[in-house]
Amino acid sequence: QVQLVESGGGLVQAGGSLRLSCVVSESTVSTHPIAWYRWFRQAPGKQREGVATISRGGPTTYADSVKGRCTISRDNEKNTVFLQMDALEPEDTAVYYCNVVFFSGDAYWGQGTQVTVTS
């Protein structure tokens, strides 16, 4: 079974920074490479939305709302994806979810980590 463990969320003042991490269980990744790592978020009363994506080959995409403030990166050897978030705004408050998509098409989600930004 694939397991994703997220960390790095917390409470921060507007303008601050957080770095989220998501580790994917190694036993699965060694035989089934990950095609895409993705971060999503869901604010109270809103639908889950995509934040950033990074492919195994390296290309990244970002939601317009975080472009210029967030950086997604990955460490293939450690099966880990990161989301560096700077200049945080209260509107960034949400539960952030890690999502991985294997080349087989199978996708898995982490349990989520809370990010709260105060004004």
Side-chain angles (χ1 to χ4, degrees):
Q1 179 152 355
V2 178
Q3 290 185 327
L4 282 64
V5 180
E6 298 145 336
S7 61
L11 178 67
V12 64
Q13 288 188 329
S17 298
L18 285 174
R19 189 187 195 213
L20 307 183
S21 300
C22 174
V23 181
V24 184
S25 54
E26 183 177 352
S27 60
T28 299
V29 179
S30 61
T31 55
H32 297 84
I34 294 171
W36 294 278
Y37 291 95
R38 303 187 292 184
W39 285 99
F40 287 76
R41 67 185 181 185
Q42 187 165 18
K46 294 187 178 181
Q47 289 188 332
R48 191 171 297 188
E49 62 175 358
V51 176
T53 299
I54 186 167
S55 71
R56 186 168 184 82
T60 58
T61 59
Y62 297 93
D64 288 342
S65 58
V66 304
K67 202 171 291 184
R69 300 188 297 117
C70 290
T71 303
I72 187 171
S73 60
R74 84 235 182 275
D75 184 331
N76 286 334
E77 290 189 2
K78 296 183 179 180
N79 308 322
T80 303
V81 62
F82 305 97
L83 184 68
Q84 176 68 41
M85 302 189 294
D86 301 314
L88 283 163
E89 303 168 352
E91 293 73 22
D92 295 316
T93 295
V95 178
Y96 284 71
Y97 296 91
C98 175
N99 170 268
V100 295
V101 182
F102 290 84
F103 283 105
S104 64
D106 294 334
Y108 299 89
W109 292 89
Q111 80 287 352
T113 185
Q114 177 69 47
V115 171
T116 303
V117 184
T118 60
S119 57

